[in-house]
Amino acid sequence: MFTSIVAGACGYDSLALNFKGGFLAARVSSCFKDGAGCGACIQIRCKNSDLCSKSGTNVMLMYLNTNTHTDFVLSNKAYKATAKPGKDRDILKLGIADAEYK
């Protein structure tokens, strides 16, 4: 779920960091739809009840995820926003987490 995002497949490059307050995500090709998924808003939350809030966070789909180990890749800012208060550093240490989304 976690990696650093600095440029994107939607063509917005660093300008994308201003969208949704930098709460950005990449998605596997089946949802990215060759770029047709650019700009889609997704509510995502991780399932680790010790670290993650029940509400999760909203992200904007801006990138194609080519990582074969996860369906989503979130910006650091977005990933920390899924954490319970005071747990943002712990969630970054977690790395990959099970998640649900809509």
Side-chain angles (χ1 to χ4, degrees), residues 1-3 5 10 16-28 31 37-46 55-63 71-83 99-102:
M1 179 188 262
F2 160 75
T3 192
I5 295 176
C10 293
L17 296 174
N18 296 319
F19 298 153
K20 282 285 194 199
F23 286 40
L24 307 173
R27 183 70 167 113
V28 292
C31 284
C38 285
C41 292
I42 300 165
Q43 180 185 15
I44 189 166
R45 63 182 181 175
C46 72
S55 60
T57 192
N58 294 316
V59 296
M60 183 178 280
L61 183 63
M62 298 303 290
Y63 307 94
D71 290 341
F72 282 97
V73 178
L74 302 183
S75 64
N76 291 355
K77 195 172 187 180
Y79 195 41
K80 290 191 305 185
T82 66
E100 54 191 11
Y101 64 94
K102 63 180 180 176

Side-chain angles (χ1 to χ4, degrees), residues 27-38 61 64:
R27 183 70 167 113
V28 292
S29 60
S30 60
C31 284
F32 191 70
K33 302 176 187 173
D34 293 325
C38 285
L61 183 63
L64 173 61

